Amino acid sequence: SSALFPETRADWRRYPTLHWITDTLIPFCRFQFHIFNSGGRNFLYGISTGARGVALVAENTDSLFLAGAALSGDYDQTSMPSDRLMTGYYGPYDQFKNRWVGPDNPSLHTDNLKIPLYLAHGTRDAVVSCKQSIDFSRKIISEDPGRGHVLHLCDTCGHNYTFWNSQTENIFVFFEKAGKKIPRKSKNIRK
């Protein structure tokens, strides 16, 4: 999440926020380790909740990254109003709808997405509905059909490392293709 709230679970408050990643971690890594420099071969990869993180970081870092891979993610929490993870951060949907439709809803801020995403999901996923990836991909592809977004669905796959590991080669091919494109000039990370 981009912020913590009084309703955020106390044991989750120790975890970094989105802005800590974009405004502290990435600049520190640039300074200390000389990585995540603009124009570099930077890529994002995440599974499950990390896939949602890929979308949010991509939407908040302009074109710092060349591409992202997001597997089995959720991108519109308003379609899952009883989700315990989202409730644990934002509070109950019925009481705090403004938080659920705010800056942490990737599907509402796709106009900020400047990089291609490889989305993959198992249709037998019992944890996160594949409809999340389907709907998100439809939206980002329709808004920017030339960006190079990809959706891969696996009819026999669930929410597990067997599926995620099976996507490794596809992701490397996707990243290699994105890395061959001439990077656009990057703006500084938004705050």
Side-chain angles (χ1 to χ4, degrees), residues 59 73 75-76 106-108 110-111 113 117-121 123 129-153:
E59 289 177 352
Y75 309 100
D76 182 8
S107 69
L108 298 179
T110 55
D111 55 326
L113 189 59
L117 294 181
Y118 177 90
L119 303 172
H121 217 119
T123 61
S129 170
C130 67
K131 188 171 180 344
Q132 287 285 322
S133 291
I134 292 168
D135 291 349
F136 189 62
S137 71
R138 283 183 181 151
K139 183 168 188 191
I140 63 177
I141 290 169
S142 69
E143 288 178 355
D144 194 351
R147 180 71 59 196
H149 302 297
V150 170
L151 172 65
H152 174 81
L153 297 175

Side-chain angles (χ1 to χ4, degrees), residues 46-48 51 70-75 118-134 151-167 170:
I47 58 174
S48 194
L71 282 58
S72 306
D74 60 280
Y75 309 100
Y118 177 90
L119 303 172
H121 217 119
T123 61
R124 294 187 180 183
D125 190 327
V127 177
V128 177
S129 170
C130 67
K131 188 171 180 344
Q132 287 285 322
S133 291
I134 292 168
L151 172 65
H152 174 81
L153 297 175
C154 176
D155 291 332
T156 60
C157 300
H159 195 90
N160 55 50
Y161 283 99
T162 301
F163 168 57
W164 300 325
N165 290 339
S166 76
Q167 294 304 297
N170 293 342

Side-chain angles (χ1 to χ4, degrees), residues 1 23 25 31 62 117 126 128:
S1 69
D23 301 345
L25 178 64
F31 177 78
D62 196 44
L117 294 181
V128 177

Side-chain angles (χ1 to χ4, degrees), residues 13-183:
R13 292 173 177 272
R14 65 183 175 156
Y15 297 110
T17 64
L18 170 65
H19 295 297
W20 180 86
I21 292 169
T22 59
D23 301 345
T24 301
L25 178 64
I26 291 173
F28 174 80
C29 288
R30 279 183 179 154
F31 177 78
Q32 189 69 29
F33 304 112
H34 307 288
I35 60 174
F36 299 135
N37 293 314
S38 295
R41 290 180 55 85
N42 305 312
F43 300 97
L44 293 165
Y45 174 80
I47 58 174
S48 194
T49 300
R52 171 191 179 74
V54 165
L56 288 168
V57 171
E59 289 177 352
N60 284 276
T61 54
D62 196 44
S63 54
L64 170 63
F65 297 92
L66 296 178
L71 282 58
S72 306
D74 60 280
Y75 309 100
D76 182 8
Q77 59 265 30
T78 64
S79 67
M80 320 176 299
S82 60
D83 184 80
R84 292 186 317 210
L85 180 65
M86 298 302 132
T87 301
Y89 273 101
Y90 307 117
Y93 177 75
D94 292 341
Q95 295 175 31
F96 302 102
K97 184 177 178 181
N98 60 322
R99 295 176 188 167
W100 289 60
V101 298
D104 297 345
N105 188 317
S107 69
L108 298 179
H109 303 284
T110 55
D111 55 326
N112 294 332
L113 189 59
K114 308 296 185 221
I115 64 170
L117 294 181
Y118 177 90
L119 303 172
H121 217 119
T123 61
R124 294 187 180 183
D125 190 327
V127 177
V128 177
S129 170
C130 67
K131 188 171 180 344
Q132 287 285 322
S133 291
I134 292 168
D135 291 349
F136 189 62
S137 71
R138 283 183 181 151
K139 183 168 188 191
I140 63 177
I141 290 169
S142 69
E143 288 178 355
D144 194 351
R147 180 71 59 196
H149 302 297
V150 170
L151 172 65
H152 174 81
L153 297 175
C154 176
D155 291 332
T156 60
C157 300
H159 195 90
N160 55 50
Y161 283 99
T162 301
F163 168 57
W164 300 325
N165 290 339
S166 76
Q167 294 304 297
T168 301
E169 187 173 338
N170 293 342
I171 292 166
F172 283 147
V173 168
F174 182 77
F175 285 171
E176 185 63 29
K177 182 178 176 184
K180 288 182 179 179
K181 293 182 180 179
I182 299 172

